Amino acid sequence: QVQLVESGGGLVQAGGSLRLSCAASGHSFTLYTIGWFRQAPGKEREFVATISWNGGRTYYEDSMKGRFTISRDNAKNTVYLQMNTLKPEDTAVYYCAADRQFLPHEYDYWGQGTQVTVSS
């Protein structure tokens, strides 16, 4: 079992930056791939990025490449999502999720989400 708690969301102007955190507790965090997803009002959930258990592999949705960076600190049981040059269309609830596989069809564990709002 892994419990995930997201933080770091908030209101930011277009062009600004935010760093989201996904703090994990529970058993064997280092065995898990962690992914970030987002869901905007009225839209389906969207994949953002994922990182392997040791940080050796990352994968991004094409539209996020170059603006978002995923990283992890296993000593702190935390995964980060650095978001730069934010746009109003990045407004969404951002979720982190955990799974033992890299790029699974469906992740096993989910956090409650953190709201990111980008004003124009």
Side-chain angles (χ1 to χ4, degrees):
Q1 285 276 356
V2 176
Q3 293 79 44
L4 305 172
V5 178
E6 302 92 339
S7 63
L11 175 64
V12 63
Q13 289 188 334
S17 298
L18 281 175
R19 188 178 78 160
L20 305 183
S21 298
C22 173
S25 60
H27 188 62
S28 300
F29 169 73
T30 56
L31 295 179
Y32 289 87
T33 286
I34 303 295
W36 282 99
F37 293 78
R38 68 185 186 184
Q39 188 165 20
K43 295 188 177 181
E44 292 188 354
R45 188 174 65 200
E46 178 183 26
F47 170 77
V48 174
T50 193
I51 189 166
S52 62
W53 69 274
N54 64 352
R57 286 192 292 172
T58 59
Y59 185 79
Y60 296 86
E61 169 63 30
D62 283 346
S63 62
M64 320 295 177
K65 290 179 182 178
R67 295 194 302 126
F68 292 6
T69 302
I70 191 170
S71 62
R72 69 190 292 163
D73 184 342
N74 283 347
K76 296 182 178 179
N77 281 10
T78 301
V79 171
Y80 304 99
L81 184 69
Q82 177 68 43
M83 305 187 296
N84 298 327
T85 319
L86 284 162
K87 305 173 182 179
E89 50 265 43
D90 294 317
T91 295
V93 177
Y94 284 71
Y95 301 89
C96 62
D99 197 87
R100 294 287 298 270
Q101 297 183 53
F102 189 70
L103 295 177
H105 177 69
E106 183 61 69
Y107 284 72
D108 285 338
Y109 305 102
W110 290 84
Q112 294 300 306
T114 185
Q115 175 71 48
V116 171
T117 303
V118 184
S119 63
S120 57

